[in-house]
């Protein structure tokens, strides 16, 4: 019985250390950098940083969701993106003139 206990303890410890049980333990994905979030927004809009003006990028936390607010202007249009800071998913997008 002692061998079974130690074997089970070893398996549990290894699974925690290797991340097999990372989901549900409160661990989160690595955060994107502001530059990565900016690149996601610009790529989605079809621009490079050199093609836009008033480029602004700010980390935010709303409803416990970490994200970046990325805003820029091109031509007569203002673009606003919310990019999830862990997954890179585009949470919202708005284009106004």
């Amino acid at each position: 019985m002692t061998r079974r206990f130690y074997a089970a303890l070893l398996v549990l410890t290894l699974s925690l250390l290797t991340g097999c049980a990372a989901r549900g333990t409160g661990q989160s994905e690595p955060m994107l950098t502001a530059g990565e979030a900016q690149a996601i927004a610009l790529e989605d809009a079809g621009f490079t940083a050199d093609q836009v003006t008033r480029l602004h990028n700010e980390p935010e936390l709303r409803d416990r969701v970490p994200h970046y607010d990325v805003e820029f202007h091109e031509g007569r249009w203002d673009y606003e993106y919310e990019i999830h800071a862990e997954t890179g998913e585009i949470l919202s997008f708005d284009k106004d003139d």
Side-chain angles (χ1 to χ4, degrees), residues 6-96:
Y6 286 117
L9 182 61
L10 178 62
V11 168
L12 177 63
T13 302
L14 289 175
S15 68
L16 288 172
L17 290 175
T18 59
C20 293
R23 284 289 190 220
T25 61
Q27 295 180 2
S28 61
E29 301 286 324
M31 297 288 275
L32 294 175
T33 65
E36 290 169 326
Q38 178 178 303
I40 291 168
L42 288 169
E43 181 179 343
D44 185 72
F47 301 116
T48 65
D50 295 336
Q51 295 173 307
V52 301
T53 59
R54 297 187 297 214
L55 184 57
H56 180 71
N57 192 343
E58 187 174 321
E60 294 283 332
L61 182 66
R62 186 179 63 242
D63 297 329
R64 297 176 52 171
V65 176
H67 66 277
Y68 287 98
D69 284 337
V70 181
E71 302 174 4
F72 54 90
H73 182 83
E74 195 285 321
R76 65 180 192 131
W77 300 101
D78 289 317
Y79 293 79
E80 296 179 18
Y81 281 85
E82 287 185 3
I83 308 294
H84 196 287
E86 293 173 347
T87 65
E89 175 187 358
I90 297 173
L91 300 173
S92 70
F93 162 72
D94 190 32
K95 178 179 172 182
D96 293 321

